[in-house]
Amino acid sequence: FGDVATASSAAEIVVRYTVTVANVIANQNNATRVNAAAALYEDPNDAASTVTVAAPTNPTVRVGEPNLGVAKSITAGATGADAGNSVDWSFTVSNTGTTTAYRSDVRDVLPAGLFNIVNVGIATSGSVTLNGTATPLTLANVRVKTTVNSNDTIEVADTAQGDASDTIAIAPGASLTITFRSTVMNTVTPGQVLTNTVRVPYASRADCGQPGVVCRDNSSNPGGVDDDDDAQLNNYEASGSASLTIRS
């Protein structure tokens, strides 16, 4: 802001500014950053000298990050499953981090051999909203769609269906649980193992992807990163799996 003229009486200068947390590998959850400030001015008794006055205390900023976990299980029908049988599933997406997991893209595509999703239910704990809004997630935002086989996909939030966002925001300590029933297809073979995996990418900001926005997401390797691996920078993706073995 340039030079400041000498005041004729005691006075103070207040400098206010905003900074952005850099998306660098050193900025991991709970890392601390100290902002050291000092004032430098010309010595009134010696124009060739500079006086430096450091701040008596330097504020510390603690870095926060979301951290999603996905737990998936079979709740009924796992034993002796065969073509035409029903299998019940449950998966929970929870945020154990210290900040909100924005742009969480929750989708479950069943593996070949399973289809016909019915009896969908949800339960939330804490704040789970449509991304960028204060609108709580409800069952109306969870839809059954077809990806490969008839009604083989659970999708959470869809602007094409009138939702305010295609993704959701999961606050620290919050969780989302989805339950549903599927049917074993008649294409399965004895002893076949059907693994159902849910992968949830997310981001550090609701507006991630917009021009000029600094954020962390899963762009290092979408579909192949792990948010618990701090050696990866853009590693915001969590996954969970459960397997069904067809009766031999």
Side-chain angles (χ1 to χ4, degrees), residues 51-87:
V51 178
T52 300
V53 180
T57 58
N58 293 311
T60 298
V61 175
R62 186 176 298 277
V63 176
E65 284 193 282
N67 186 270
L68 292 186
V70 181
K72 189 169 187 61
S73 63
I74 300 174
T75 57
T79 303
D82 206 346
N85 291 161
S86 295
V87 180

Side-chain angles (χ1 to χ4, degrees), residues 2-7 11 13 38-54:
D3 296 331
V4 178
T6 303
I13 299 171
L40 287 75
Y41 62 94
E42 182 182 289
D43 188 340
N45 299 314
D46 182 0
S49 300
T50 299
V51 178
T52 300
V53 180

Side-chain angles (χ1 to χ4, degrees), residues 66 68 91-95 100-107 122-125 127-138 141-143 155-159 163-171 174-178 200-207:
L68 292 186
F91 69 89
T92 298
V93 183
S94 55
N95 183 2
T100 298
Y102 293 103
R103 300 182 64 83
S104 300
D105 189 2
V106 180
R107 180 181 291 112
I122 73 164
T124 59
S125 175
S127 177
V128 181
T129 60
L130 295 177
N131 187 69
T133 77
T135 305
L137 183 73
T138 68
N141 305 120
V142 181
R143 297 175 177 87
E155 183 167 356
V156 178
D158 184 359
T159 54
D163 296 339
S165 176
D166 283 323
T167 57
I168 62 174
I170 305 173
S175 65
L176 163 66
T177 297
I178 295 180
V200 182
Y202 58 101
S204 61
R205 290 183 51 161
D207 55 354

Side-chain angles (χ1 to χ4, degrees), residues 136-200:
L137 183 73
T138 68
L139 182 59
N141 305 120
V142 181
R143 297 175 177 87
V144 177
K145 296 186 175 183
T146 295
T147 299
V148 178
N149 297 301
S150 178
N151 294 336
D152 65 349
T153 300
I154 290 278
E155 183 167 356
V156 178
D158 184 359
T159 54
Q161 300 295 321
D163 296 339
S165 176
D166 283 323
T167 57
I168 62 174
I170 305 173
S175 65
L176 163 66
T177 297
I178 295 180
T179 57
F180 62 93
R181 174 169 292 171
S182 67
T183 300
V184 181
M185 299 176 67
N186 61 10
T187 56
V188 297
T189 57
Q192 183 178 356
V193 177
L194 309 179
T195 300
N196 184 9
T197 300
V198 177
R199 299 195 70 88
V200 182

